[in-house]
Amino acid sequence: MRMFRKRFHLILITIVYSLFTYSCTTVDPPKDIIDEEVDTNVESSAYTIHFNIEKQTILGLGVEIQSDRFGPNYEPSDPINGIPYDLIPSERTRLATDLASGFRYLRIAMGLWFRGVTDDQKNFVERYPGQLDLIKEMMEQANMEGISLEYWSPSPYWKSTYNLLGGTLRSYDDQFLDEFGDALARDVQYFIDNGVKVSTWGLQNEPFNGDGGYPMCFYTDENYFKTFKAVAPKIRAVSPETEIIVDTKNANFGALGNMIRNDPTIPQYVDSWVYHRSGNPSESVIEGAERYLKETLGKPVYQNEWAFNGVQVKTIDEEWRMVDLAQSIMNWMTFVNSPKWYWLHLLKPTNDPNRFGFGLGFYRRDDDNNFSQHADIAKGTFKYHWPNYNGIAGFMKYMEWDSKRIHVQEDSIRYDQRIMAWRKPDGKHVFVMTNRSSEKFDFVINLDKARSFVGHRYNRDFVDYQLPTVSGKSSYTIRLEPYSIEFWTEEDDLSSVMSETSSLFKANRTGNAVSIEGMQIGEIIEIYHLNGQLINRIIADAEKVNVPLTTNDIVLVKTKTQTIKI
């Protein structure tokens, strides 16, 4: 182990190291390097957190749910699949309390994943019994606020194709659009009547698409503007608190933005401008910030669909993608002052060709019998996909809703090393740092006064691995390992943290179980796969406990103050 300036750090790291060598695995533990002697071989940069300079309110993160299936025909007779429907009851609960917990908004794709239609084909309803109740139950268990209701296609009556696939609206005359607006307002009311808050509403997902083999509706800029002008006031009337977004294409920067700005009656109905820049490298946000912030009319700007496409999955390293995902969140919020950020899918099926780039995890449908792929995922269950999940998980845990971003002054703006800081509603502070490179990097963090922080590391092997506390100084040098993300959370009292940390446990594999010694009765023990999937959670009823295992893989054993890899 490297030498630390402070004896506390040396003692703590020695203890952690000895515990890891106790385990039966040959995998090296992570090296927790804080306030080391200067190493001229490690690149560094200085960052000053200005606690007195507040920026935007961070409202939270959103995600889409695939509650129905792709095709085959987009007719009422299509087979039924989707989540939570396809999951067994215990996995539905785990989906809500583990994977979805931390998201504020659930994106509902009208006409695609939510596509049941009324008898007159003018409105959407659930396509199979219980679809909406299952969504609502998951949201309640995950403590989500509401949905983002966005159209992939209007219902068939309004389409030029009389179908969810392809086409555009049948007409753009005033009477037709007036009736169309009434229908879309009824869709909003349908969710409200069923106890689901409509937090956000969007006229059309990617209006520049018209025929892609799944439900779409093509709008020219002129037709979108005319439709929005007729419909948006009706949405505002039926649900005044609902955020109305425009338009996932070029938003404020494009021709549509000019039309909206030139009509004094319309800007009052635009609450946010949204973009789809899925999979673009995180530095593209830095380079494009001036364009994104051009003539916004004082409205927020954010992206509401982000994932990796198939080419990126095949050609870009998984660890790089994991960190780049985290940096996308940070860069949109830092350079565009975005209040929100959306990932694409909670889960994708094990037979979906886009699953590796789109899903935070994979689940197996009952009709998928191909166990040559994802043999470890049983029917009705799901597993986390670490390159995506590990990149976002820390934000869901440590970036609380309604936090205030605070300004960080950077000596130089680096594309591979990013930083962001915020003040939580309880007044405590958090800063997150990333290292999207194959070399270690030192962050020299300057504060306004002496403060104490506890670190939490996320990388390909660890989810929320707790690092030693830093305390008693107003400046720290924190070394990030290659391809890692670290969240540093402010603590009030270092002595209490040190006291908790001093009672460390030991863990060892014994057959099909983990034997854990040194526990406090009532302490929670969690065991995870390296990809973040929870295997077991128990409450210690003795100082020594045995936790059954059903895997021979390396696992993480976690308590509140310690993580061991065995």
Side-chain angles (χ1 to χ4, degrees):
M1 301 296 290
R2 298 176 182 267
M3 293 297 294
F4 285 74
R5 292 177 182 171
K6 298 184 68 174
R7 187 179 180 188
F8 163 70
H9 295 144
L10 176 60
I11 294 171
L12 186 55
I13 297 307
T14 303
I15 293 172
V16 173
Y17 180 81
S18 66
L19 285 169
F20 273 97
T21 56
Y22 178 83
S23 88
C24 61
T25 179
T26 59
V27 178
D28 291 333
K31 297 178 176 61
D32 308 320
I33 303 175
I34 304 167
D35 279 339
E36 260 198 275
E37 296 295 337
V38 175
D39 185 343
T40 57
N41 294 320
V42 176
E43 198 170 1
S44 67
S45 192
Y47 305 86
T48 301
I49 301 177
H50 291 278
F51 294 86
N52 61 326
I53 303 178
E54 284 192 348
K55 298 295 185 176
Q56 82 276 20
T57 299
I58 299 172
L59 297 176
L61 303 178
V63 69
E64 187 177 317
I65 186 170
Q66 184 172 332
S67 64
D68 209 325
R69 62 174 288 158
F70 264 123
N73 301 311
Y74 298 98
E75 298 287 348
S77 59
D78 286 341
I80 297 173
N81 290 109
I83 57 168
Y85 176 84
D86 280 323
L87 300 177
I88 61 176
S90 61
E91 289 291 87
R92 292 175 183 174
T93 299
R94 188 166 72 93
L95 172 68
T97 59
D98 289 359
L99 181 56
S101 179
F103 285 109
R104 188 167 190 167
Y105 309 105
L106 188 67
R107 197 166 178 236
I108 300 293
M110 301 290 280
L112 177 59
W113 312 130
F114 201 88
R115 63 176 188 261
V117 296
T118 55
D119 291 341
D120 60 7
Q121 297 206 324
K122 292 183 178 181
N123 288 96
F124 287 117
V125 293
E126 62 182 11
R127 191 172 76 86
Y128 53 88
Q131 182 181 15
L132 185 54
D133 281 343
L134 285 171
I135 293 172
K136 182 180 175 182
E137 179 183 55
M138 186 200 77
M139 292 178 66
E140 290 173 347
Q141 291 179 343
N143 194 34
M144 287 183 166
E145 176 192 293
I147 65 170
S148 180
L149 188 161
E150 302 171 52
Y151 288 87
W152 268 241
S153 169
S155 49
Y157 174 87
W158 309 102
K159 296 285 293 296
S160 60
T161 58
Y162 288 93
N163 193 291
L164 295 175
L165 297 172
T168 184
L169 295 186
R170 282 196 289 119
S171 172
Y172 290 93
D173 67 38
D174 292 343
Q175 182 177 348
F176 181 90
L177 292 179
D178 184 64
E179 294 174 1
F180 181 57
D182 289 338
L184 299 193
R186 287 195 297 271
D187 285 343
V188 172
Q189 191 65 54
Y190 169 80
F191 283 96
I192 295 173
D193 289 346
N194 281 278
V196 177
K197 180 178 179 178
V198 181
S199 297
T200 300
W201 178 90
L203 173 63
Q204 180 62 42
N205 170 77
E206 299 179 356
F208 47 87
N209 287 334
D211 188 10
Y214 61 90
M216 296 179 177
C217 185
F218 176 76
Y219 288 85
T220 64
D221 288 326
E222 292 78 7
N223 286 339
Y224 186 106
F225 172 76
K226 189 172 184 180
T227 306
F228 184 85
K229 186 173 182 176
V231 174
K234 295 178 182 287
I235 302 303
R236 180 71 84 229
V238 73
S239 185
E241 72 279 8
T242 295
E243 171 199 31
I244 298 177
I245 58 175
V246 176
D247 74 326
T248 79
K249 183 184 178 183
N250 288 317
N252 53 301
F253 185 71
L256 176 61
N258 288 331
M259 295 177 194
I260 290 174
R261 282 187 292 269
N262 291 332
D263 187 327
T265 68
I266 301 303
Q268 63 181 309
Y269 300 111
V270 178
D271 296 316
S272 297
W273 308 97
V274 298
Y275 286 84
H276 285 184
R277 295 296 183 262
S278 193
N280 284 0
S282 57
E283 56 264 30
S284 68
V285 183
I286 301 174
E287 296 164 353
E290 183 178 355
R291 181 178 69 253
Y292 291 131
L293 292 171
K294 182 180 179 181
E295 297 183 291
T296 64
L297 300 174
K299 316 287 185 176
V301 177
Y302 63 91
Q303 77 77 31
N304 74 332
E305 182 180 298
W306 206 88
F308 295 102
N309 63 40
V311 173
Q312 292 165 330
V313 167
K314 292 178 181 179
T315 60
I316 302 176
D317 178 76
E318 289 177 317
E319 290 180 280
W320 192 98
R321 296 200 319 263
M322 175 194 69
V323 180
D324 193 58
L325 190 165
Q327 292 187 173
S328 175
I329 298 172
M330 297 161 68
N331 288 350
W332 277 96
M333 293 185 173
T334 298
F335 294 96
V336 189
N337 298 314
S338 297
K340 303 179 181 181
W341 189 94
Y342 278 70
W343 174 254
L344 188 47
H345 280 285
L346 273 174
L347 296 177
K348 293 294 283 183
T350 47
N351 57 3
D352 190 307
N354 294 312
R355 63 192 181 278
F356 293 104
F358 283 17
L360 297 179
F362 314 136
Y363 77 97
R364 187 176 298 278
R365 301 183 336 199
D366 190 59
D367 60 350
D368 180 5
N369 297 306
N370 181 12
F371 284 90
S372 65
Q373 297 184 127
H374 307 293
D376 56 340
I377 303 180
K379 292 183 177 182
T381 70
F382 73 90
K383 191 171 184 177
Y384 290 77
H385 182 47
W386 72 261
N388 297 337
Y389 176 74
N390 291 15
I392 196 174
F395 295 94
M396 293 192 290
K397 182 167 185 177
Y398 295 111
M399 191 171 71
E400 295 183 15
W401 305 352
D402 300 319
S403 293
K404 283 281 189 181
R405 185 172 71 84
I406 54 179
H407 178 59
V408 180
Q409 179 183 330
E410 307 179 43
D411 273 8
S412 62
I413 295 175
R414 296 170 175 267
Y415 287 176
D416 287 330
Q417 291 82 27
R418 299 297 318 130
I419 186 170
M420 187 173 83
W422 57 89
R423 180 179 294 111
K424 299 189 298 181
D426 67 1
K428 299 289 184 60
H429 298 92
V430 181
F431 61 92
V432 57
M433 303 170 293
T434 61
N435 184 9
R436 196 189 61 178
S437 76
S438 58
E439 303 293 332
K440 298 175 183 178
F441 186 85
D442 284 350
F443 284 78
V444 181
I445 306 296
N446 299 307
L447 311 173
D448 59 342
K449 63 180 181 180
R451 294 177 183 268
S452 301
F453 290 87
V454 174
H456 309 267
R457 178 176 296 163
Y458 293 75
N459 59 19
R460 70 168 298 145
D461 293 329
F462 289 93
V463 175
D464 199 21
Y465 171 78
Q466 185 165 316
L467 302 169
T469 300
V470 295
S471 179
K473 296 165 61 177
S474 60
S475 180
Y476 299 104
T477 297
I478 301 177
R479 179 165 297 171
L480 260 65
E481 294 296 310
Y483 300 114
S484 63
I485 308 158
E486 291 187 5
F487 293 80
W488 287 80
T489 59
E490 188 173 21
E491 298 290 331
D492 272 338
D493 184 6
L494 174 61
S495 61
S496 65
V497 176
M498 291 176 63
S499 174
E500 290 176 345
T501 307
S502 63
S503 58
L504 300 177
F505 67 85
K506 296 180 180 180
N508 192 24
R509 297 288 279 265
T510 56
N512 295 322
V514 174
S515 178
I516 305 171
E517 298 182 46
M519 299 303 303
Q520 295 182 7
I521 295 175
E523 193 168 3
I524 296 174
I525 307 166
E526 296 177 325
I527 299 181
Y528 290 85
H529 286 286
L530 294 185
N531 65 6
Q533 181 179 6
L534 181 67
I535 298 173
N536 205 340
R537 179 190 285 120
I538 68 167
I539 299 176
D541 57 4
E543 291 185 4
K544 182 177 180 179
V545 295
N546 289 317
V547 183
L549 281 184
T550 58
T551 178
N552 293 320
D553 295 342
I554 296 171
V555 298
L556 301 178
V557 181
K558 298 181 63 175
T559 65
K560 180 180 179 182
T561 59
Q562 189 185 354
T563 301
I564 290 181
K565 187 179 188 181
I566 64 173

PDB file of all heavy atoms in Angstrom, residues 408-431:
ATOM      1  N   VAL A 408     -18.604  24.864  -9.831  1.00  0.00           N
ATOM      2  CA  VAL A 408     -17.242  24.365  -9.664  1.00  0.00           C
ATOM      3  C   VAL A 408     -16.352  25.062 -10.689  1.00  0.00           C
ATOM      4  O   VAL A 408     -16.602  24.984 -11.896  1.00  0.00           O
ATOM      5  CB  VAL A 408     -17.160  22.844  -9.857  1.00  0.00           C
ATOM      6  CG1 VAL A 408     -15.712  22.370  -9.681  1.00  0.00           C
ATOM      7  CG2 VAL A 408     -18.086  22.116  -8.879  1.00  0.00           C
ATOM      8  N   GLN A 409     -15.353  25.745 -10.210  1.00  0.00           N
ATOM      9  CA  GLN A 409     -14.379  26.401 -11.084  1.00  0.00           C
ATOM     10  C   GLN A 409     -13.286  25.397 -11.438  1.00  0.00           C
ATOM     11  O   GLN A 409     -12.662  24.794 -10.570  1.00  0.00           O
ATOM     12  CB  GLN A 409     -13.769  27.615 -10.377  1.00  0.00           C
ATOM     13  CG  GLN A 409     -12.728  28.361 -11.175  1.00  0.00           C
ATOM     14  CD  GLN A 409     -12.124  29.501 -10.378  1.00  0.00           C
ATOM     15  OE1 GLN A 409     -12.775  30.088  -9.509  1.00  0.00           O
ATOM     16  NE2 GLN A 409     -10.879  29.817 -10.663  1.00  0.00           N
ATOM     17  N   GLU A 410     -13.066  25.223 -12.749  1.00  0.00           N
ATOM     18  CA  GLU A 410     -12.098  24.240 -13.220  1.00  0.00           C
ATOM     19  C   GLU A 410     -10.873  24.950 -13.795  1.00  0.00           C
ATOM     20  O   GLU A 410     -11.017  25.874 -14.599  1.00  0.00           O
ATOM     21  CB  GLU A 410     -12.727  23.346 -14.291  1.00  0.00           C
ATOM     22  CG  GLU A 410     -14.033  22.701 -13.861  1.00  0.00           C
ATOM     23  CD  GLU A 410     -14.641  21.829 -14.954  1.00  0.00           C
ATOM     24  OE1 GLU A 410     -13.896  21.072 -15.596  1.00  0.00           O
ATOM     25  OE2 GLU A 410     -15.871  21.926 -15.166  1.00  0.00           O
ATOM     26  N   ASP A 411      -9.678  24.486 -13.414  1.00  0.00           N
ATOM     27  CA  ASP A 411      -8.467  25.052 -13.996  1.00  0.00           C
ATOM     28  C   ASP A 411      -8.443  24.840 -15.507  1.00  0.00           C
ATOM     29  O   ASP A 411      -7.983  25.697 -16.257  1.00  0.00           O
ATOM     30  CB  ASP A 411      -7.229  24.417 -13.366  1.00  0.00           C
ATOM     31  CG  ASP A 411      -6.810  25.142 -12.093  1.00  0.00           C
ATOM     32  OD1 ASP A 411      -7.575  26.025 -11.656  1.00  0.00           O
ATOM     33  OD2 ASP A 411      -5.749  24.826 -11.537  1.00  0.00           O
ATOM     34  N   SER A 412      -8.940  23.693 -15.929  1.00  0.00           N
ATOM     35  CA  SER A 412      -9.085  23.427 -17.362  1.00  0.00           C
ATOM     36  C   SER A 412     -10.246  22.463 -17.536  1.00  0.00           C
ATOM     37  O   SER A 412     -10.457  21.575 -16.710  1.00  0.00           O
ATOM     38  CB  SER A 412      -7.805  22.829 -17.944  1.00  0.00           C
ATOM     39  OG  SER A 412      -7.503  21.586 -17.335  1.00  0.00           O
ATOM     40  N   ILE A 413     -11.011  22.665 -18.595  1.00  0.00           N
ATOM     41  CA  ILE A 413     -12.160  21.802 -18.874  1.00  0.00           C
ATOM     42  C   ILE A 413     -11.670  20.596 -19.663  1.00  0.00           C
ATOM     43  O   ILE A 413     -11.242  20.720 -20.816  1.00  0.00           O
ATOM     44  CB  ILE A 413     -13.251  22.570 -19.633  1.00  0.00           C
ATOM     45  CG1 ILE A 413     -13.808  23.683 -18.748  1.00  0.00           C
ATOM     46  CG2 ILE A 413     -14.368  21.626 -20.067  1.00  0.00           C
ATOM     47  CD1 ILE A 413     -14.803  24.580 -19.432  1.00  0.00           C
ATOM     48  N   ARG A 414     -11.728  19.459 -19.034  1.00  0.00           N
ATOM     49  CA  ARG A 414     -11.231  18.225 -19.630  1.00  0.00           C
ATOM     50  C   ARG A 414     -12.395  17.344 -20.063  1.00  0.00           C
ATOM     51  O   ARG A 414     -13.403  17.253 -19.370  1.00  0.00           O
ATOM     52  CB  ARG A 414     -10.357  17.468 -18.612  1.00  0.00           C
ATOM     53  CG  ARG A 414      -9.093  18.222 -18.218  1.00  0.00           C
ATOM     54  CD  ARG A 414      -8.415  17.542 -17.039  1.00  0.00           C
ATOM     55  NE  ARG A 414      -7.139  18.183 -16.727  1.00  0.00           N
ATOM     56  CZ  ARG A 414      -5.969  17.782 -17.211  1.00  0.00           C
ATOM     57  NH1 ARG A 414      -5.918  16.723 -18.014  1.00  0.00           N
ATOM     58  NH2 ARG A 414      -4.855  18.427 -16.905  1.00  0.00           N
ATOM     59  N   TYR A 415     -12.220  16.689 -21.187  1.00  0.00           N
ATOM     60  CA  TYR A 415     -13.275  15.814 -21.691  1.00  0.00           C
ATOM     61  C   TYR A 415     -13.305  14.461 -20.965  1.00  0.00           C
ATOM     62  O   TYR A 415     -14.368  13.854 -20.852  1.00  0.00           O
ATOM     63  CB  TYR A 415     -13.092  15.570 -23.183  1.00  0.00           C
ATOM     64  CG  TYR A 415     -13.432  16.768 -24.055  1.00  0.00           C
ATOM     65  CD1 TYR A 415     -13.228  16.722 -25.438  1.00  0.00           C
ATOM     66  CD2 TYR A 415     -13.968  17.934 -23.518  1.00  0.00           C
ATOM     67  CE1 TYR A 415     -13.546  17.802 -26.251  1.00  0.00           C
ATOM     68  CE2 TYR A 415     -14.283  19.016 -24.310  1.00  0.00           C
ATOM     69  CZ  TYR A 415     -14.064  18.948 -25.687  1.00  0.00           C
ATOM     70  OH  TYR A 415     -14.391  20.022 -26.478  1.00  0.00           O
ATOM     71  N   ASP A 416     -12.161  13.986 -20.494  1.00  0.00           N
ATOM     72  CA  ASP A 416     -12.102  12.656 -19.882  1.00  0.00           C
ATOM     73  C   ASP A 416     -12.201  12.679 -18.366  1.00  0.00           C
ATOM     74  O   ASP A 416     -12.346  11.634 -17.746  1.00  0.00           O
ATOM     75  CB  ASP A 416     -10.806  11.947 -20.282  1.00  0.00           C
ATOM     76  CG  ASP A 416     -10.821  11.479 -21.724  1.00  0.00           C
ATOM     77  OD1 ASP A 416     -11.912  11.167 -22.227  1.00  0.00           O
ATOM     78  OD2 ASP A 416      -9.745  11.438 -22.350  1.00  0.00           O
ATOM     79  N   GLN A 417     -12.094  13.841 -17.768  1.00  0.00           N
ATOM     80  CA  GLN A 417     -12.247  13.979 -16.320  1.00  0.00           C
ATOM     81  C   GLN A 417     -13.242  15.109 -16.058  1.00  0.00           C
ATOM     82  O   GLN A 417     -13.003  16.252 -16.419  1.00  0.00           O
ATOM     83  CB  GLN A 417     -10.912  14.297 -15.626  1.00  0.00           C
ATOM     84  CG  GLN A 417      -9.914  13.155 -15.648  1.00  0.00           C
ATOM     85  CD  GLN A 417      -9.126  13.051 -16.935  1.00  0.00           C
ATOM     86  OE1 GLN A 417      -8.914  14.045 -17.637  1.00  0.00           O
ATOM     87  NE2 GLN A 417      -8.699  11.837 -17.276  1.00  0.00           N
ATOM     88  N   ARG A 418     -14.369  14.748 -15.448  1.00  0.00           N
ATOM     89  CA  ARG A 418     -15.419  15.726 -15.214  1.00  0.00           C
ATOM     90  C   ARG A 418     -15.751  15.799 -13.720  1.00  0.00           C
ATOM     91  O   ARG A 418     -15.474  14.880 -12.957  1.00  0.00           O
ATOM     92  CB  ARG A 418     -16.699  15.362 -16.000  1.00  0.00           C
ATOM     93  CG  ARG A 418     -16.530  15.322 -17.508  1.00  0.00           C
ATOM     94  CD  ARG A 418     -16.147  16.662 -18.146  1.00  0.00           C
ATOM     95  NE  ARG A 418     -16.876  17.766 -17.575  1.00  0.00           N
ATOM     96  CZ  ARG A 418     -16.281  18.880 -17.133  1.00  0.00           C
ATOM     97  NH1 ARG A 418     -14.968  19.039 -17.194  1.00  0.00           N
ATOM     98  NH2 ARG A 418     -17.015  19.838 -16.604  1.00  0.00           N
ATOM     99  N   ILE A 419     -16.378  16.905 -13.345  1.00  0.00           N
ATOM    100  CA  ILE A 419     -16.773  17.112 -11.955  1.00  0.00           C
ATOM    101  C   ILE A 419     -18.081  17.897 -11.917  1.00  0.00           C
ATOM    102  O   ILE A 419     -18.345  18.726 -12.805  1.00  0.00           O
ATOM    103  CB  ILE A 419     -15.670  17.866 -11.168  1.00  0.00           C
ATOM    104  CG1 ILE A 419     -16.017  17.958  -9.669  1.00  0.00           C
ATOM    105  CG2 ILE A 419     -15.420  19.249 -11.765  1.00  0.00           C
ATOM    106  CD1 ILE A 419     -14.867  18.457  -8.813  1.00  0.00           C
ATOM    107  N   MET A 420     -18.913  17.623 -10.936  1.00  0.00           N
ATOM    108  CA  MET A 420     -20.138  18.387 -10.700  1.00  0.00           C
ATOM    109  C   MET A 420     -20.436  18.335  -9.208  1.00  0.00           C
ATOM    110  O   MET A 420     -20.132  17.341  -8.540  1.00  0.00           O
ATOM    111  CB  MET A 420     -21.319  17.831 -11.498  1.00  0.00           C
ATOM    112  CG  MET A 420     -22.580  18.687 -11.417  1.00  0.00           C
ATOM    113  SD  MET A 420     -23.913  18.131 -12.518  1.00  0.00           S
ATOM    114  CE  MET A 420     -24.658  16.837 -11.527  1.00  0.00           C
ATOM    115  N   ALA A 421     -21.035  19.387  -8.667  1.00  0.00           N
ATOM    116  CA  ALA A 421     -21.352  19.441  -7.241  1.00  0.00           C
ATOM    117  C   ALA A 421     -22.769  19.976  -7.050  1.00  0.00           C
ATOM    118  O   ALA A 421     -23.280  20.730  -7.881  1.00  0.00           O
ATOM    119  CB  ALA A 421     -20.348  20.327  -6.502  1.00  0.00           C
ATOM    120  N   TRP A 422     -23.388  19.572  -5.953  1.00  0.00           N
ATOM    121  CA  TRP A 422     -24.738  20.063  -5.658  1.00  0.00           C
ATOM    122  C   TRP A 422     -24.982  20.065  -4.149  1.00  0.00           C
ATOM    123  O   TRP A 422     -24.280  19.412  -3.379  1.00  0.00           O
ATOM    124  CB  TRP A 422     -25.806  19.227  -6.366  1.00  0.00           C
ATOM    125  CG  TRP A 422     -25.791  17.760  -6.060  1.00  0.00           C
ATOM    126  CD1 TRP A 422     -26.446  17.113  -5.053  1.00  0.00           C
ATOM    127  CD2 TRP A 422     -25.098  16.742  -6.794  1.00  0.00           C
ATOM    128  NE1 TRP A 422     -26.211  15.766  -5.112  1.00  0.00           N
ATOM    129  CE2 TRP A 422     -25.392  15.509  -6.168  1.00  0.00           C
ATOM    130  CE3 TRP A 422     -24.275  16.742  -7.924  1.00  0.00           C
ATOM    131  CZ2 TRP A 422     -24.872  14.293  -6.638  1.00  0.00           C
ATOM    132  CZ3 TRP A 422     -23.748  15.541  -8.386  1.00  0.00           C
ATOM    133  CH2 TRP A 422     -24.053  14.338  -7.751  1.00  0.00           C
ATOM    134  N   ARG A 423     -25.989  20.860  -3.775  1.00  0.00           N
ATOM    135  CA  ARG A 423     -26.441  20.935  -2.382  1.00  0.00           C
ATOM    136  C   ARG A 423     -27.775  20.217  -2.277  1.00  0.00           C
ATOM    137  O   ARG A 423     -28.738  20.554  -2.973  1.00  0.00           O
ATOM    138  CB  ARG A 423     -26.590  22.390  -1.934  1.00  0.00           C
ATOM    139  CG  ARG A 423     -27.060  22.551  -0.482  1.00  0.00           C
ATOM    140  CD  ARG A 423     -27.171  24.020  -0.081  1.00  0.00           C
ATOM    141  NE  ARG A 423     -25.863  24.664  -0.059  1.00  0.00           N
ATOM    142  CZ  ARG A 423     -25.469  25.596  -0.923  1.00  0.00           C
ATOM    143  NH1 ARG A 423     -26.292  26.009  -1.878  1.00  0.00           N
ATOM    144  NH2 ARG A 423     -24.266  26.134  -0.825  1.00  0.00           N
ATOM    145  N   LYS A 424     -27.858  19.207  -1.429  1.00  0.00           N
ATOM    146  CA  LYS A 424     -29.094  18.457  -1.249  1.00  0.00           C
ATOM    147  C   LYS A 424     -30.118  19.298  -0.486  1.00  0.00           C
ATOM    148  O   LYS A 424     -29.768  20.289   0.152  1.00  0.00           O
ATOM    149  CB  LYS A 424     -28.814  17.156  -0.503  1.00  0.00           C
ATOM    150  CG  LYS A 424     -27.855  16.218  -1.215  1.00  0.00           C
ATOM    151  CD  LYS A 424     -27.794  14.854  -0.532  1.00  0.00           C
ATOM    152  CE  LYS A 424     -27.290  14.965   0.887  1.00  0.00           C
ATOM    153  NZ  LYS A 424     -27.213  13.629   1.541  1.00  0.00           N
ATOM    154  N   PRO A 425     -31.386  18.901  -0.537  1.00  0.00           N
ATOM    155  CA  PRO A 425     -32.407  19.660   0.201  1.00  0.00           C
ATOM    156  C   PRO A 425     -32.127  19.774   1.697  1.00  0.00           C
ATOM    157  O   PRO A 425     -32.564  20.730   2.331  1.00  0.00           O
ATOM    158  CB  PRO A 425     -33.695  18.858  -0.068  1.00  0.00           C
ATOM    159  CG  PRO A 425     -33.459  18.237  -1.411  1.00  0.00           C
ATOM    160  CD  PRO A 425     -32.001  17.886  -1.423  1.00  0.00           C
ATOM    161  N   ASP A 426     -31.369  18.817   2.270  1.00  0.00           N
ATOM    162  CA  ASP A 426     -31.066  18.893   3.702  1.00  0.00           C
ATOM    163  C   ASP A 426     -29.856  19.773   3.998  1.00  0.00           C
ATOM    164  O   ASP A 426     -29.442  19.906   5.151  1.00  0.00           O
ATOM    165  CB  ASP A 426     -30.859  17.494   4.292  1.00  0.00           C
ATOM    166  CG  ASP A 426     -29.618  16.789   3.758  1.00  0.00           C
ATOM    167  OD1 ASP A 426     -28.883  17.384   2.939  1.00  0.00           O
ATOM    168  OD2 ASP A 426     -29.389  15.627   4.151  1.00  0.00           O
ATOM    169  N   GLY A 427     -29.265  20.400   2.945  1.00  0.00           N
ATOM    170  CA  GLY A 427     -28.145  21.306   3.141  1.00  0.00           C
ATOM    171  C   GLY A 427     -26.779  20.663   3.014  1.00  0.00           C
ATOM    172  O   GLY A 427     -25.759  21.368   2.941  1.00  0.00           O
ATOM    173  N   LYS A 428     -26.715  19.318   2.991  1.00  0.00           N
ATOM    174  CA  LYS A 428     -25.440  18.629   2.805  1.00  0.00           C
ATOM    175  C   LYS A 428     -25.021  18.734   1.331  1.00  0.00           C
ATOM    176  O   LYS A 428     -25.843  18.938   0.440  1.00  0.00           O
ATOM    177  CB  LYS A 428     -25.568  17.163   3.200  1.00  0.00           C
ATOM    178  CG  LYS A 428     -25.948  16.929   4.644  1.00  0.00           C
ATOM    179  CD  LYS A 428     -24.824  17.264   5.589  1.00  0.00           C
ATOM    180  CE  LYS A 428     -25.207  16.928   7.020  1.00  0.00           C
ATOM    181  NZ  LYS A 428     -25.526  15.518   7.214  1.00  0.00           N
ATOM    182  N   HIS A 429     -23.712  18.533   1.091  1.00  0.00           N
ATOM    183  CA  HIS A 429     -23.176  18.685  -0.250  1.00  0.00           C
ATOM    184  C   HIS A 429     -22.643  17.361  -0.795  1.00  0.00           C
ATOM    185  O   HIS A 429     -22.230  16.483  -0.023  1.00  0.00           O
ATOM    186  CB  HIS A 429     -22.068  19.724  -0.263  1.00  0.00           C
ATOM    187  CG  HIS A 429     -22.534  21.089   0.136  1.00  0.00           C
ATOM    188  ND1 HIS A 429     -22.492  21.532   1.443  1.00  0.00           N
ATOM    189  CD2 HIS A 429     -23.085  22.101  -0.591  1.00  0.00           C
ATOM    190  CE1 HIS A 429     -22.991  22.754   1.507  1.00  0.00           C
ATOM    191  NE2 HIS A 429     -23.354  23.122   0.293  1.00  0.00           N
ATOM    192  N   VAL A 430     -22.659  17.262  -2.111  1.00  0.00           N
ATOM    193  CA  VAL A 430     -22.126  16.091  -2.810  1.00  0.00           C
ATOM    194  C   VAL A 430     -21.346  16.594  -4.009  1.00  0.00           C
ATOM    195  O   VAL A 430     -21.769  17.553  -4.665  1.00  0.00           O
ATOM    196  CB  VAL A 430     -23.254  15.150  -3.293  1.00  0.00           C
ATOM    197  CG1 VAL A 430     -22.663  13.924  -3.992  1.00  0.00           C
ATOM    198  CG2 VAL A 430     -24.163  14.733  -2.141  1.00  0.00           C
ATOM    199  N   PHE A 431     -20.212  15.981  -4.286  1.00  0.00           N
ATOM    200  CA  PHE A 431     -19.581  16.214  -5.588  1.00  0.00           C
ATOM    201  C   PHE A 431     -19.231  14.874  -6.218  1.00  0.00           C
ATOM    202  O   PHE A 431     -18.945  13.895  -5.519  1.00  0.00           O
ATOM    203  CB  PHE A 431     -18.362  17.148  -5.498  1.00  0.00           C
ATOM    204  CG  PHE A 431     -17.226  16.686  -4.635  1.00  0.00           C
ATOM    205  CD1 PHE A 431     -16.171  15.949  -5.176  1.00  0.00           C
ATOM    206  CD2 PHE A 431     -17.173  17.023  -3.287  1.00  0.00           C
ATOM    207  CE1 PHE A 431     -15.103  15.549  -4.383  1.00  0.00           C
ATOM    208  CE2 PHE A 431     -16.106  16.625  -2.485  1.00  0.00           C
ATOM    209  CZ  PHE A 431     -15.076  15.876  -3.036  1.00  0.00           C
TER     210      PHE A 431
END
